[in-house]
Amino acid sequence: MKVTALGIFTVAAEKQQDLVEAINRAGEVVRKFPGFLGSTLYASVDGTRVVNQSHWTSVERHDAVLEDPEAMALVEVMFAIAKLDPIICVERGEFNPA
């Protein structure tokens, strides 16, 4: 079952760009994992939030990243910059323009 991981970060506005760069570095590692389908990164206009939306073929494929030392070292960099509130979701609806 396809899942979406939402990484919702709260960050000091002056550190938002540092966080974006750290997530982009992690993305270069994560994109090589089996089951990774893609990711989109959003930065709030007020500078205090960053949302990373990634899609995976399964929860198990997503969780495999948590066992990888290189990926986890990059996650630690993110944790030093911002507070993370992660959510793993499944799609339950979609709306398109009429």
Side-chain angles (χ1 to χ4, degrees):
M1 169 181 16
K2 181 179 143 184
V3 298
T4 298
L6 297 174
I8 303 168
F9 294 87
T10 302
V11 62
E14 65 273 9
K15 293 289 191 176
Q16 186 187 56
Q17 186 57 37
D18 294 338
L19 179 61
V20 166
E21 291 170 8
I23 294 170
N24 282 328
R25 283 192 303 274
E28 290 302 314
V29 172
V30 170
R31 68 190 303 199
K32 299 171 188 168
F33 275 78
F36 178 73
L37 299 173
S39 182
T40 304
L41 186 59
Y42 303 91
S44 69
V45 295
D46 70 359
T48 63
R49 302 267 176 132
V50 173
V51 177
N52 185 33
Q53 174 188 31
S54 61
H55 303 284
W56 296 84
T57 56
S58 69
V59 172
E60 294 77 19
R61 292 293 192 177
H62 169 270
D63 289 351
V65 173
L66 305 177
E67 303 298 322
D68 183 79
E70 183 181 12
M72 290 313 297
L74 293 166
V75 167
E76 291 299 322
V77 171
M78 290 181 246
F79 288 168
I81 299 169
K83 180 180 181 281
L84 172 64
D85 184 14
I87 306 169
I88 304 292
C89 307
V90 294
E91 188 175 299
R92 293 293 185 238
E94 183 176 328
F95 299 93
N96 294 301

